[in-house]
Amino acid sequence: MGLISSTQAVPETSAVPQHVAIIMDGNGRWATRRHLPRTAGHAKGVQAVRRVVEGCGRLGVRYLTLFAFSSENWRRPAEEVSLLMRLFVQALEREVDKLDGQGVRLRVVGDLTPFEPRLRDLIEQAQARTAHNDRLHLSICANYGGRWDVLQATRRMLAENPQLAQHPDGIDEATLSRYLSMAWAPEPDLFIRTGGEQRISNYLIWQLAYTELYFTDRYWPDFGAAELEAAFEWYRTRERRFGRTSAQLGKR
Ligand code: FPP
């Protein structure tokens, strides 16, 4: 596939991260601080998504992956879950034309089986509609969990290659990673989490092995182009060694 695994080889790096993965945290607290219902924070969060998609397109990012709903978010109150689903539906209905016009290819990644058929249809339509685009690959992780991803990859790999169960030594990182739900994307260069927590929260756990991790106290609804550029500025200061020493850098 031509994609470089950070544990198997040293990938090329560039000043602008090619793949940015974001945990959009702090919507609830943003709203609570303003004595608004938590759901108002999610609605505001959609505007931040728009700003960040535009910013990434303008700055030359190729892959943007957003954690919209984790496998664990079903534990939230039913009305918050249903508002989030409504927001996805609305965003898909309203934004797809614009995304298409911006050259964005949209994919929704995760276990979509529990979502209602209408939402799944809209997802399929939006994916088909934007499938020809290549400027920015926008992935929305919905009902996604990193452990779910590794498990589904293992199950699919063995279902398609039953002989591997008899010869497990034949399984290497490249074999398994071909079955991950984002196998078509390079590993993230930069991870951003807003909202002040410093956790990975079961996001892309396989792919984040060598990703630079950036945390900001800013709540997601307050995140925009300036905050994105600040994160990229920080990224440029990082020395990406991929296991090597500082002295080895520059002699690939
Ligand atoms: C985390 O904030 C955010 C979420 C669980 C949902 C993210 C959803 C959106 C930004 C809106 C919809 C997105 C798209 C792509 C249409 P939180 O509720 O955990 O905040 P808290 O930690 O302050 O409670």
Side-chain angles (χ1 to χ4, degrees), residues 24-30 38 41-43 45-46 49 66-70 73 76 80 84 87-88 91 140 219-220:
M24 311 180 285
D25 199 10
N27 292 345
R29 281 165 289 159
W30 181 94
R38 292 175 51 81
H42 296 315
V46 176
V49 170
L66 304 175
F67 207 177
F69 194 83
S70 74
N73 284 150
R76 294 191 171 203
E80 183 168 340
L84 279 167
L87 281 178
F88 295 151
I140 307 291
Y219 293 144
W220 178 250

Side-chain angles (χ1 to χ4, degrees), residues 3 19 65 109 139 141 149 177 180-186 204 207:
L3 292 177
H19 184 172
T65 305
V109 177
S139 307
C141 293
D149 200 2
S177 55
L180 291 171
S181 53
M182 291 188 57
W184 35 266
L204 303 170
Q207 297 93 329

Side-chain angles (χ1 to χ4, degrees), residues 103-114:
V104 175
R105 177 166 186 178
L106 178 75
R107 292 178 178 96
V108 180
V109 177
D111 177 9
L112 304 185
T113 47

Side-chain angles (χ1 to χ4, degrees), residues 21-25 67 191-194 199-201 203 220:
I22 305 184
I23 295 187
M24 311 180 285
D25 199 10
F67 207 177
F191 161 97
I192 298 174
R193 181 176 188 141
T194 60
R199 282 194 289 274
I200 302 291
S201 298
Y203 194 31
W220 178 250

Side-chain angles (χ1 to χ4, degrees), residues 156-231:
R156 279 201 303 134
M157 178 186 71
L158 289 175
E160 288 180 25
N161 307 277
Q163 75 286 0
L164 286 176
Q166 266 63 59
H167 305 283
D169 290 349
I171 303 170
D172 58 15
E173 289 185 18
T175 318
L176 184 62
S177 55
R178 276 199 287 280
Y179 293 89
L180 291 171
S181 53
M182 291 188 57
W184 35 266
E187 295 171 23
D189 301 296
L190 175 64
F191 161 97
I192 298 174
R193 181 176 188 141
T194 60
E197 308 290 353
Q198 305 205 349
R199 282 194 289 274
I200 302 291
S201 298
N202 196 18
Y203 194 31
L204 303 170
I205 48 176
W206 174 285
Q207 297 93 329
L208 290 175
Y210 271 101
T211 302
E212 298 294 333
L213 307 178
Y214 179 85
F215 299 95
T216 168
D217 289 338
R218 191 111 355 180
Y219 293 144
W220 178 250
D222 290 329
F223 199 85
E227 290 70 29
L228 186 69
E229 287 180 41

